[in-house]
Amino acid sequence: MNLRNAIVALSACALTVTVACAQRGGAVKLDYAALNSQAASEYLQPVHRGGDGTPYWNAFAKRFVYAPAFDFPRVKGAAKYVYTLTQDGKQWTFEAGSPNEALSPVWSEIPVGQTTLTVAAVNAKGKSVGQKAVRSFMRDFPFRGPYSTTAHGYRDAAVKGLMYCHNLDAIKHWLDHTEPDMDFENNTYACKIIGSTVSVECLLARLMPSLRDDAVRMARNAADYLMRISQPATGALPYFPPTYDREPNSKTGWPHRTWRLNQGKTMFLEAVEVAEAYLDLYDVTGERKYYDMALHIAGTYQRLQEKDGAFPIKVYWATGRPVDGAKATPSPLLFLIRRLQSQYHITTYDSVMTRAEAWMRENYLKSFNLTGQFEDQEMEGLKPFQNLTNCTANDYAYYLLTKPAPTKDEVATAAELMRLCEDQFVHWDIMPDSATGLRMEYTPNVHEQYQYETPVDDSAGQVGRGFLALYKATGDKLWLAKAVALTNSIATVQNQWNGQVPTTWSFVSKPAYADRTYWPNCTLTSVSQLLRMADFVQSGGMIY
């Protein structure tokens, strides 16, 4: 535990925080002594254990919070297997009848730190046979609340975060311009960044009436630009704007590299973000053209869904043909279809949802190959499980949990997906840097993906959202405590002087770094989670 968290823990009265939740009939007390003990017990169970036809998803995993089990081969002639875990000269051992047992028997005894596991096969005479299996990994920090508290209320933090984005030069540019400011290099990602700019301004227009006129004008200019650069009705991808738009003015940054490497390609599901933005603008202005464009995009997805219900991750812009065989997790589109159902009473696309859900059940929910689907990362040629991410897992979990009436199986599946997120990507604390003794990341945090092992605010917001939804679905207070911890982190890392919610939470000594890596879409996710928690508080959930 770092000093900040230690102070929080010491100042919490009897390690108990009260959450008054009208939704559940009154105050809910979070007894952290009991919750920490519950967490420790739950960590003894592996996440989505492989075997019996189920693949092991953790071949590329470097850390574990939950006791893992590994896909080690059986050895001919073995009567038993001896498991030995070594850390800093200390050893823990147990025996099992297979090389694939979870490390549960000794997991609670293993302290945080780099750990080496050796599994040796032994025959009936007690002699070693075959080659030992070896695996090294980080036995990571468990949940031990409470963590930080918010400096201000959730709603205040959310509005301030929106205002920072609104006042950023590259965003304010839309007030008097109809094309993007390419000095802001992330604008090269048209769907994600310009689309989220529209949604940010629409949200601000609703929350801050004094800024409504400017916010709506900026949103219109950005949305109209997206419409102009979209494919025509006769194109291979009708009404889709491109993922990779204009060349950034800077020729040295990562977005320029990504732009250069992805000429002629586009991310298939990113047009969903633009459709959502169009609907946001329609809701604010009532202008029918935005609503119609959202439906046109939904119609394109309906026509291009594959026979088995799947969608590709990346396609060629000119032809719409897949770049490779990688398939997308369809959560963004499913959220759009649900919005069309619930808000606008449109059922035209229900079959798309049904087929996509069936594909998920038969594929990713069985394999747990929740692969990354990021426009700024390499995806072609990835091996299964090589780039797992919290984003695809928690997004589908949230989709399941927010169904009008999720089944017990759907809630259980969502819980398992969120356990994967915590196991691989949530960092309740981190080890100090060996050279400086400093903790180089703010915690608790959530790392984005294996290929970008960096704490990102968007990930904290999404995983916090999933934990809160699990609490609402199950009443399990441990999920609520985890949601509070991650949401409070967003408000705590926020710059209290200008409202910026930094995109990445690593310590960097260069002052310009935070602005260079600022992503409005990430702010939108963080702000949405802050508002979600504010609504929870307003319903009676005052957290103190």
Side-chain angles (χ1 to χ4, degrees), residues 35-295:
L35 291 174
N36 294 342
S37 177
Q38 177 186 338
S41 177
E42 292 181 3
Y43 290 146
L44 300 181
Q45 300 302 315
V47 175
H48 197 74
R49 180 171 174 171
D52 297 325
T54 300
Y56 287 76
W57 56 266
N58 58 21
F60 294 91
K62 299 177 181 177
R63 59 182 291 271
F64 298 96
V65 179
Y66 291 84
F70 298 109
D71 190 15
F72 294 144
R74 289 182 174 271
V75 177
K76 185 177 181 179
K80 63 181 179 180
Y81 296 84
V82 179
Y83 290 67
T84 303
L85 290 98
T86 304
Q87 186 186 115
D88 296 329
K90 297 181 180 179
Q91 289 188 340
W92 298 262
T93 64
F94 68 95
E95 297 179 355
S98 86
N100 312 120
E101 294 301 314
L103 305 186
S104 308
V106 296
W107 192 246
S108 61
E109 303 171 28
I110 309 300
V112 170
Q114 197 63 31
T115 306
T116 298
L117 166 67
T118 301
V119 179
V122 178
N123 64 19
K125 295 181 179 180
K127 293 184 178 181
S128 295
V129 292
Q131 189 172 0
K132 294 180 180 179
V134 180
R135 179 75 180 260
S136 294
F137 56 85
M138 173 73 175
R139 198 287 190 222
D140 219 334
F141 289 88
F143 175 87
R144 289 177 183 149
Y147 294 92
S148 60
T149 57
T150 59
H152 299 289
Y154 293 119
R155 186 184 184 281
D156 283 356
V159 174
K160 288 175 181 177
L162 288 172
M163 289 182 66
Y164 175 85
C165 188
H166 172 78
N167 289 316
L168 197 69
D169 287 345
I171 306 300
K172 204 78 170 181
H173 176 89
W174 289 108
L175 185 62
D176 299 310
H177 298 81
T178 58
E179 296 184 349
D181 175 7
M182 296 313 298
D183 282 337
F184 183 52
E185 57 187 1
N186 285 345
N187 269 336
T188 196
Y189 309 121
C191 288
K192 178 163 285 187
I193 301 303
I194 301 176
S196 63
T197 297
V198 175
S199 293
V200 162
E201 295 304 322
C202 290
L203 183 55
L204 189 64
R206 294 204 303 269
L207 295 176
M208 294 289 288
S210 63
L211 298 176
R212 176 186 170 88
D213 289 346
D214 282 357
V216 169
R217 182 175 178 178
M218 293 161 66
R220 278 199 188 101
N221 284 339
D224 289 350
Y225 174 76
L226 289 169
M227 292 171 69
R228 289 197 305 275
I229 65 172
S230 296
Q231 286 202 16
T234 56
L237 302 168
Y239 309 104
F240 280 22
T243 296
Y244 310 99
D245 184 25
R246 296 189 172 196
E247 181 180 10
N249 289 341
S250 171
K251 304 299 187 289
T252 59
W254 187 263
H256 185 272
R257 174 190 177 277
T258 307
W259 174 87
R260 178 172 49 81
L261 291 176
N262 285 282
Q263 290 302 290
K265 302 174 184 177
T266 201
M267 300 292 291
F268 191 73
L269 284 184
E270 285 205 354
V272 172
E273 299 183 53
V274 178
E276 294 275 14
Y278 289 151
L279 291 177
D280 291 342
L281 189 51
Y282 169 71
D283 290 346
V284 170
T285 67
E287 294 180 47
R288 181 79 186 198
K289 68 177 183 179
Y290 301 117
Y291 174 81
D292 289 342
M293 282 296 289
L295 293 189

Side-chain angles (χ1 to χ4, degrees), residues 117 189 204 209 339 357 371 375:
L117 166 67
Y189 309 121
L204 189 64
R339 182 177 181 180
E357 285 188 5
T371 187
E375 72 288 316

Side-chain angles (χ1 to χ4, degrees), residues 488-544:
N488 286 359
S489 279
I490 296 170
T492 304
V493 301
Q494 182 178 38
N495 187 318
Q496 300 303 317
W497 304 109
N498 64 13
Q500 183 195 29
V501 179
T503 297
T504 56
W505 296 359
S506 300
F507 175 76
V508 180
S509 60
K510 297 178 181 179
Y513 184 82
D515 287 335
R516 185 178 67 81
T517 62
Y518 182 74
W519 291 62
N521 61 300
C522 293
T523 289
L524 181 62
T525 300
S526 293
V527 163
S528 297
Q529 176 57 15
L530 290 167
L531 291 173
R532 204 172 283 114
M533 190 64 82
D535 288 343
F536 179 81
V537 169
Q538 192 173 11
S539 72
M542 186 63 194
I543 298 171
Y544 56 92

